Amino acid sequence: MEGEAELWNFLERHLRSIYEGDWATRGRAYRLDLLEKRLQRYGDVAIFSYTLLLTVEEEAGLRHRAVNESRVAVRFPEGWKVVHVHKSPAG
């Protein structure tokens, strides 16, 4: 069974696959930080809760965006997959 560190690594890879070249970054240099992380594990289900801080390098300088998110992942025979996402503005 995967430990907490492996599950957070899965989530960070998942998030990077979304933000690379995405509408949110427009292919520009960016940084993702996860704040106030919480992980709840129920067998083959993992619930991630966190505040995502996205920093994007733009011509006028750095742009910051903060979003509270929760993502539910399920372990299938071929590996973990995110099956549900909820987002709300932070602050």
Side-chain angles (χ1 to χ4, degrees):
M1 184 174 283
E2 297 86 356
E4 190 168 321
E6 288 87 2
L7 286 168
W8 283 110
N9 287 335
F10 155 77
L11 182 70
E12 289 185 19
R13 286 191 310 274
H14 168 76
L15 291 171
R16 291 195 187 288
S17 74
I18 293 169
Y19 285 95
E20 300 253 333
D22 184 65
W23 56 269
T25 60
R26 294 181 293 259
R28 298 176 186 263
Y30 72 95
R31 176 180 168 152
L32 291 174
D33 292 292
L34 301 182
L35 312 173
E36 301 180 35
K37 299 185 333 184
R38 181 174 180 210
L39 174 61
Q40 300 170 75
R41 177 78 183 269
Y42 303 98
D44 289 341
V45 175
I47 304 169
F48 300 90
S49 303
Y50 51 89
T51 298
L52 183 138
L53 179 59
L54 173 64
T55 304
V56 180
E57 186 178 312
E58 296 189 346
E59 292 173 10
L62 298 177
R63 179 174 53 98
H64 304 283
R65 248 169 128 179
V67 180
N68 293 321
E69 292 190 355
S70 59
R71 292 181 186 253
V72 178
V74 174
R75 183 172 47 196
F76 292 94
E78 60 274 11
W80 286 93
K81 291 185 181 180
V82 172
V83 297
H84 177 77
V85 178
H86 175 80
K87 298 182 178 203
S88 60

